[in-house]
Amino acid sequence: MKKYVVLLALVLFPAFAFAEDQGVKVVEGKTATGHPTFKATESVQGQGTVLSVNNATRVVTILGEKGDTVSVTCGPDIKNFAKIAKGYVVKVKYTETLMIEVAPEGTPLKAALESSTSSAKAGEQPRGSVTDKLTFSGTITAIDMEKGTVTLKGAEGNEMVVHPRVKENLKKVKVGETVVFNYEQTAAVSVEKLVAKK
């Protein structure tokens, strides 16, 4: 988790100053048992051009596509810093995905969080990514059609009230069934040498 905080604090959050939201994409479907499924994905991406590199302070100034500039301090976690040069392109992308599905009664409950990181190898252009995955499931303990809510109880006994996006989907589930949430977020940044146009 420490690497995650360092990477985002030093590189990703400042760099996203020149990123653009691509909007939310929603896909709804059904499981083999006829239960509703839901998947929503949102991406923010963009790129900028390196205006200057201060090797002493490790500060890189980037010009965004809309003319805005941002200065990023690259900490020691940023490998191959020497390969960043004026005129190079910095690309950033942040993606969030949420998947929800209903599982049969008796499905084991779980709550898990896992993180993974990747970075450039020696000699490569600087790049890095961080991915967090969260899985949570809860048993349906109550359904309120009037309010359009469903109450879920997690593995540790914690309860939460959820407002489904489509109220009518409450008619397709029943008390005792399990709702599974899979959430994933990925943040990535890379520095690429500008390819000359032919």
Side-chain angles (χ1 to χ4, degrees):
M1 188 60 75
K2 184 178 179 182
K3 278 189 175 181
Y4 175 79
V5 174
V6 171
L7 185 62
L8 289 184
L10 297 180
V11 181
L12 299 180
F13 280 158
F16 279 118
F18 55 82
E20 286 191 12
D21 193 334
Q22 303 298 302
V24 180
K25 295 180 181 178
V26 176
V27 177
E28 296 183 55
K30 292 182 180 180
T31 64
T33 56
H35 289 104
T37 63
F38 172 86
K39 180 179 179 180
T41 303
E42 182 172 18
S43 291
V44 177
Q45 60 185 351
Q47 68 178 42
T49 304
V50 176
L51 291 179
S52 64
V53 180
N54 187 318
N55 291 308
T57 61
R58 292 176 67 93
V59 173
V60 178
T61 301
I62 303 167
L63 173 66
E65 294 173 296
K66 293 184 177 180
D68 50 330
T69 59
V70 60
S71 292
V72 181
T73 301
C74 300
D77 283 357
I78 307 306
K79 299 178 181 178
N80 307 328
F81 177 79
K83 294 186 75 68
I84 302 175
K86 181 179 178 179
Y88 281 28
V89 175
V90 178
K91 295 183 178 182
V92 294
K93 185 173 183 179
Y94 176 78
T95 303
E96 286 185 294
T97 302
L98 174 64
M99 294 181 64
I100 305 172
E101 65 179 27
V102 179
E105 185 174 351
T107 300
L109 300 181
K110 55 185 174 180
L113 173 65
E114 60 179 272
S115 298
S116 61
T117 61
S118 69
S119 61
K121 296 178 182 178
E124 293 182 337
Q125 286 297 131
R127 62 177 171 79
S129 68
V130 179
T131 299
D132 282 339
K133 296 180 180 181
L134 172 65
T135 298
F136 170 80
S137 57
T139 302
I140 299 175
T141 58
I143 299 171
D144 191 322
M145 287 299 301
E146 186 175 336
K147 294 181 179 179
T149 63
V150 59
T151 303
L152 304 176
K153 188 172 185 179
E156 297 180 359
N158 51 311
E159 286 193 336
M160 67 176 181
V161 177
V162 179
H163 295 261
R165 185 168 178 267
V166 180
K167 183 178 177 181
E168 292 303 306
N169 281 340
L170 292 176
K171 296 178 180 179
K172 302 174 185 178
V173 299
K174 62 183 180 181
V175 171
E177 292 181 322
T178 301
V179 180
V180 182
F181 299 84
N182 286 294
Y183 172 77
E184 180 176 319
Q185 63 177 17
T186 299
V189 62
S190 64
V191 180
E192 301 176 11
K193 188 174 182 179
L194 188 62
V195 178
K197 295 182 180 180
K198 296 181 179 180

